[in-house]
Amino acid sequence: MSHEIAVAERATPAELLSRSRDLLRGSEYETAIALARQAAEEGDPATRAEALWILANCRRLQDDYPQALEYALGAAELFREIGHPGGEARARSEVARALLSSGETDEALKESLSALELAEAGADLSAHVTAMTALGNVYLSMQQLDLALQVCERGAEMARLIGDEIANAALQDTVACVLMNDSEVARGRGDQTEAVRLALAAAERSHTAMLIAREHGHRRNEACALANLAEALGSAGQPARALELLDTWRIDPARDSAYTITHHLDTRGGICLALERYEEAITLFTQALGVAESKSAAMMFCEHLSAAYERSGDFAAALDAHKKYHLLYRQVASEAALRTARVAAVRMETEQAKASAERERLRADGLLRMSLEDPLTGLANRRHLDDELATGVAGRAIALVDVDHFKRVNDSFSHQIGDEVLRALGGLLRPACRAGDVAARYGGEEFAVLFRGLSTAEAAAAAERIRRTVEDYDWAGVAPGLAVTVSVGVAVGGESALPAGLLSLADRRLYEAKNAGRNRVHISTSVS
């Protein structure tokens, strides 16, 4: 700290901000706060706004959510005054994160959507990634898992595009959380195989996030991803490996916030509970409750503690923990109402300065685009394709394109390479479309191309061009030794008057192409 102060005495406000950001990434929060405060005192309004944003980040990561909220709102107001929509978007995202951590999900959703609109209006990709990170976490908290996955996948793609690996890692880890929730849903309906598959997919994402965070020295993100990785492994039937992994992390109370500490305690407790090591689980949940960073977090630990006591046969203690949960629930609800009123008052002036109709238009356009686009490939999604088919199939042809032996790609090269294959295939299909054609990701490794105004013979030729383009593509650039081919089934509008019938024909021919040896096109025998 003394060294940083000595450096700060000779530094410009811009240099102070840069060093403060580096310290924030390294979880050196108090020193980062000191330098950001100095930058705010000495700098111009733009510097003060950036400094407040850093202070908001630090305080949230230290679990001081009311202070984080105050700094973030101040930053948003300053950015608005100087006409910096990207900066305001980042500040609004931080407001959303602070609100979400305080248990105010509805307000967090409003702020994250507002941040996304501002980022789009300012054409600021970095702010866009920040807003999507906040929005993805809000959707996850709301259990809107499909939306959370779409937003986070799109955000991760954008983060990689602009070279923000720290944001990419955070989004990959959030995707892991979404997959774990999907795993629990599958387990709840009795599909153990699917539950394990999803848990392992989550583990792969968290492992990637952990390695990226470690490489870039982001301690908090590394700790979070490691805990999520351990949880996923435990859920996938590898509890011993999960506990070994947790043992590799050494908590540093001087650098790790209560959130990080309780996250590890609670994760270890959950694994012990699954192993029927009830006393250990009770001890760990009790420790987490003792240092809970918020009443919302304490509620969760009480719930876990109650379950542990119940499974151990101590029903009186389970009831006591459950009562504490309900007491905290009432307190959280009361405090949330007060904070909501405070946030609403601060937001009022800002919202009056905006054109309400324009904001609603931006929101509608952004959400509509998101709802019709596949986040991994950037192509149209199944909903978009269905909407196009619903307008009529006359004069159209559809080609269903499926990657041959895609499971082998995932198994032999990794799911990450599998995703790269799908992205590359999307890039190959896009140029195959003329104005009015639609290329879509149909589901999994299956794609569809909807052509306008092609005869059966022309549709067959177009499908063959796609097959040959995929076969000739240099897949070694994606992964050494990788080769990819596709099978294609084609149907034309004159063969069926209904979209479902046309899709069924194309699907049947795709199946025939697979059975005939793959890497081929099947179409009606009456080609004309």
Side-chain angles (χ1 to χ4, degrees):
M1 179 73 170
S2 58
H3 170 71
E4 295 294 348
I5 291 174
V7 172
E9 291 174 353
R10 305 187 299 272
T12 66
E15 290 169 338
L16 290 169
L17 281 180
S18 177
R19 182 59 185 145
S20 183
R21 290 190 197 97
D22 290 340
L23 291 164
L24 169 61
R25 284 194 292 270
S27 302
E28 300 285 350
Y29 302 126
E30 290 303 331
T31 313
I33 287 170
L35 296 185
R37 283 175 173 164
Q38 185 177 338
E41 291 171 1
E42 299 175 3
D44 57 15
T47 300
R48 288 199 298 275
E50 287 287 345
L52 286 173
W53 180 77
I54 292 173
L55 289 168
N57 272 269
C58 288
R59 287 309 191 198
R60 175 175 60 82
L61 295 173
Q62 288 181 313
D63 312 314
D64 186 350
Y65 305 131
Q67 185 70 73
L69 184 60
E70 185 173 331
Y71 281 134
L73 288 167
E77 181 62 18
L78 269 176
F79 278 125
R80 186 191 67 79
E81 289 176 0
I82 64 177
H84 192 324
E88 186 180 354
R90 288 187 287 111
R92 291 287 167 197
S93 299
E94 198 55 38
V95 170
R97 299 291 294 271
L99 288 168
L100 184 62
S101 297
S102 301
E104 298 174 49
T105 308
D106 290 344
E107 289 299 314
L109 178 60
K110 292 177 185 177
E111 288 291 342
S112 55
L113 288 171
S114 175
L116 192 59
E117 294 165 6
L118 286 161
E120 289 178 346
D124 188 325
L125 293 180
S126 178
H128 209 132
V129 169
T130 304
M132 297 186 88
T133 301
L135 183 59
N137 278 278
V138 172
Y139 280 143
L140 173 60
S141 179
M142 297 172 67
Q143 290 296 293
Q144 297 289 325
L145 301 181
D146 288 344
L147 284 174
L149 188 61
Q150 287 183 27
V151 170
C152 290
E153 291 280 30
R154 182 197 289 255
E157 283 285 308
M158 196 174 293
R160 287 192 289 272
L161 178 68
I162 64 176
D164 190 344
E165 283 302 304
I166 290 174
N168 174 31
L171 285 156
Q172 293 287 346
D173 202 33
T174 306
V175 169
C177 293
V178 175
L179 292 171
M180 280 301 296
N181 277 265
D182 283 332
S183 175
E184 289 305 309
V185 171
R187 199 182 306 279
R189 64 172 183 262
D191 191 344
Q192 184 67 16
T193 300
E194 179 67 2
V196 170
R197 186 192 70 79
L198 288 165
L200 289 173
E204 186 174 329
R205 294 297 188 112
S206 287
H207 185 255
T208 298
M210 181 185 71
L211 294 179
I212 294 173
R214 181 179 297 164
E215 179 185 353
H216 290 272
H218 201 300
R219 181 177 176 85
R220 179 182 169 102
N221 283 11
E222 181 184 351
C224 183
L226 187 148
N228 288 335
L229 172 56
E231 181 184 357
L233 290 173
S235 181
Q238 302 177 38
R241 185 180 168 199
L243 292 175
E244 287 175 5
L245 187 67
L246 289 171
D247 286 339
T248 65
W249 184 264
R250 293 292 178 264
I251 291 293
D252 181 357
R255 300 176 68 193
D256 295 322
S257 70
Y259 171 83
T260 297
I261 295 169
T262 57
H263 190 184
H264 277 243
L265 289 170
D266 187 55
T267 300
R268 187 183 292 271
I271 295 169
C272 288
L273 183 61
L275 290 171
E276 300 183 359
R277 289 156 54 172
Y278 300 130
E279 291 305 318
E280 288 180 66
I282 288 167
T283 298
L284 290 161
F285 291 144
T286 302
Q287 289 174 349
L289 182 59
V291 291
E293 68 274 15
S294 67
K295 289 180 180 176
S296 296
M299 281 170 53
M300 179 178 70
F301 302 142
C302 280
E303 189 174 18
H304 294 173
L305 188 58
S306 178
Y309 274 126
E310 182 178 359
R311 290 182 61 178
S312 73
D314 191 343
F315 299 111
L319 180 60
D320 184 56
H322 195 63
K323 288 179 178 177
K324 289 179 182 176
Y325 167 86
H326 279 285
L327 176 62
L328 285 165
Y329 179 86
R330 289 195 297 271
Q331 292 174 354
V332 166
S334 176
E335 291 172 6
L338 292 173
R339 279 196 299 270
T340 299
R342 175 187 172 197
V343 173
V346 175
R347 189 192 293 126
M348 185 176 298
E349 183 179 346
T350 302
E351 297 222 348
Q352 287 174 343
K354 296 177 181 178
S356 178
E358 177 66 6
R359 197 180 80 234
E360 288 302 318
R361 184 190 66 78
L362 285 170
R363 175 179 297 170
D365 288 350
L367 292 177
L368 177 62
R369 186 166 59 255
M370 188 182 298
S371 72
L372 296 177
E373 183 176 301
D374 173 59
L376 181 65
T377 63
L379 299 179
N381 61 14
R382 176 69 181 272
R383 178 186 295 178
H384 189 172
L385 180 68
D386 288 343
D387 288 347
E388 286 289 330
L389 285 168
T391 63
V393 298
R396 291 178 164 184
I398 189 162
L400 291 185
V401 182
D402 190 80
V403 180
D404 295 328
H405 301 298
F406 186 69
K407 185 176 186 301
R408 290 184 191 172
V409 174
N410 284 331
D411 291 345
S412 301
F413 293 89
S414 82
H415 286 273
Q416 186 174 2
I417 294 299
D419 284 349
E420 291 297 329
V421 167
L422 297 179
R423 275 189 285 269
L425 185 54
L428 296 175
L429 290 178
R430 201 174 288 110
C433 294
R434 307 156 303 159
D437 294 343
V438 177
R441 186 177 178 194
Y442 193 67
E445 66 271 23
E446 194 171 359
F447 294 78
V449 182
L450 185 62
F451 298 108
R452 287 182 180 273
L454 296 186
S455 67
T456 303
E458 290 169 337
E464 177 58 22
R465 282 194 296 274
I466 290 172
R467 186 205 64 76
R468 192 167 55 250
T469 297
V470 174
E471 184 180 36
D472 293 342
Y473 184 75
D474 182 15
W475 292 101
V478 177
L482 176 65
V484 176
T485 61
V486 295
S487 299
V488 188
V490 184
V492 295
E495 297 181 280
S496 176
L498 298 175
L502 196 67
L503 285 168
S504 179
L505 280 172
D507 190 61
R508 185 192 311 161
R509 288 163 187 164
L510 173 60
Y511 183 79
E512 291 168 357
K514 292 281 187 182
N515 281 347
R518 295 182 169 83
N519 191 23
R520 64 195 62 219
V521 174
H522 268 222
I523 194 168
S524 171
T525 54
S526 56
V527 174
S528 59

